Amino acid sequence: MPVGVEVMRRRHWPRGDPARTAGTPPRSASSRSLARLSLTVTAALAVMAVGCGRDDEPEPAPPPPSPSVSPGFVVLSDVDRRILTDIRYATAYNFIGRRVDGYQEPLCLLTRRAAEALRRVQEAALAVGRSLKVYDCYRPQRATEDFLNWAGQPGQDAMKAEFYPRVAKAELVDRGYLGAPSAHSRGSTVDLTLVDVPPPEQARFEPGQPLLACTAPRAQRFPDNSVDMGTGFDCFDPLSHTDSDRVGPVAGENRRQLRQLMADGGFVGYDREWWHFRYRDEPWPDTYFDLPVTRSSAG
């Protein structure tokens, strides 16, 4: 097991009526109804807290693996060097405005199963004159906690004008833009976009430069070399919802193409973030890891 592996397991409710476990006497019909209502409310709240990088599909719940088992991550560039990378959380160009905890190197780590599937998607994208570009892949649990700690602190709104220009920072969690745990921490979820081939030059963000709203028309946003998707990456706004009818026809078609390529490759999208996809046949569907993003965490 690589040094520093940490695993967070999801708690499971026992099957059947909780009142009938561990020899507890049956409760009244009224008590059982209240118990069922409590579980329903708990489940509903869990779905509401979808957060950045979460998906809203029901998740399978197999027995969790032993913490001594390595997740078997690979570096995506070792699987397919043609896929472009722009790992924003390893830089200061993200909604927090600094490197995020756990991102020691600007690498895309994924489970081998997800990386091989993404390689097949890249083949399909290249066939239509486009390439994939990933913004985020495996995300340590500590990074998600860093997001939530930041969200709970007043101020520190240095990047608001670009990443959440129309939403108050205090509302980011309640509106579902940030939450925990994150599907990214299971190692088979990616944030990505499409880029024309050959790829245009990618602009470099310099701290202190004027911020540009992610909701603005493409010509008025940060000059990402992505095709027009209607918003920038990590844009906390309803305009980022995959099926938003407020984006133009070009952006709408680009979103449709990305969604189709990913679906054909076995990935499931997330309705609040056009860039977010989870590999359906992920090997760790119920386990969240906390390895740092570094080459030493692969293998």
Side-chain angles (χ1 to χ4, degrees):
M1 179 181 71
V3 175
V5 173
E6 296 180 42
V7 179
M8 185 180 75
R9 301 182 185 180
R10 176 168 299 163
R11 179 178 302 162
H12 300 287
W13 293 103
R15 294 185 181 276
D17 188 345
R20 298 184 185 274
T21 63
T24 304
R27 292 179 290 184
S28 66
S30 176
S31 296
R32 290 196 299 272
S33 297
L34 287 174
R36 294 190 186 99
L37 177 60
S38 175
L39 291 178
T40 301
V41 171
T42 300
L45 290 174
V47 170
M48 289 174 64
V50 287
C52 178
R54 293 289 304 280
D55 41 57
D56 57 355
E57 285 200 342
E59 298 174 355
S66 166
S68 64
V69 176
S70 168
F73 293 150
V74 297
V75 178
L76 180 61
S77 60
D78 292 343
V79 176
D80 194 328
R81 293 186 177 276
R82 301 168 301 175
I83 300 176
L84 306 177
T85 59
D86 186 3
I87 309 301
R88 298 283 182 86
Y89 298 148
T91 74
Y93 185 50
N94 55 63
F95 63 90
I96 291 181
R98 58 167 171 76
R99 182 182 64 81
V100 177
D101 191 14
Y103 285 81
Q104 297 180 9
E105 297 179 50
L107 296 174
C108 171
L109 298 183
L110 288 172
T111 61
R112 179 168 293 279
R113 193 179 298 177
E116 292 289 351
L118 209 58
R119 179 184 58 78
R120 293 189 290 272
V121 175
Q122 175 73 348
E123 290 284 357
L126 290 173
V128 294
R130 288 187 161 169
S131 171
L132 301 177
K133 182 175 86 166
V134 296
Y135 294 113
D136 192 33
C137 302
Y138 160 71
R139 180 185 306 164
Q141 179 64 20
R142 72 190 76 177
T144 301
E145 293 169 358
D146 195 12
F147 291 165
L148 294 182
N149 289 337
W150 167 84
Q153 297 173 3
Q156 300 188 26
D157 269 331
M159 305 298 282
K160 174 177 172 56
E162 180 144 347
F163 290 94
Y164 48 107
R166 303 191 293 199
V167 178
K169 177 184 174 183
E171 298 178 5
L172 293 178
V173 174
D174 289 343
R175 292 198 181 194
Y177 295 117
L178 297 176
S182 168
H184 282 274
S185 299
R186 304 196 299 259
S188 296
T189 293
V190 294
D191 293 339
L192 77 175
T193 188
L194 292 172
V195 176
D196 285 328
V197 175
E201 184 178 352
Q202 171 65 61
R204 180 181 177 84
F205 176 79
E206 297 295 340
Q209 73 181 59
L211 299 179
L212 304 170
C214 60
T215 54
R218 185 188 185 195
Q220 300 172 30
R221 298 197 302 266
F222 178 78
D224 190 310
N225 63 355
S226 165
V227 301
D228 186 12
M229 289 292 187
T231 74
F233 164 63
D234 256 2
C235 188
F236 299 150
D237 193 271
L239 203 62
S240 295
H241 294 188
T242 302
D243 293 326
S244 173
D245 58 4
R246 295 172 52 204
V247 299
V250 172
E253 175 58 25
N254 287 334
R255 290 186 184 189
R256 186 207 63 77
Q257 184 182 48
L258 176 62
R259 187 167 62 247
Q260 189 63 57
L261 286 167
M262 296 299 286
D264 291 346
F267 289 83
V268 181
Y270 173 46
D271 62 358
R272 296 193 190 189
E273 299 172 350
W274 58 258
W275 54 82
H276 173 100
F277 294 88
R278 170 182 60 83
Y279 187 53
R280 187 185 297 275
D281 191 24
E282 58 180 313
W284 305 111
D286 201 48
T287 305
Y288 301 84
F289 298 95
D290 197 34
L291 287 162
V293 177
T294 179
R295 179 167 284 277
S296 63
S297 295

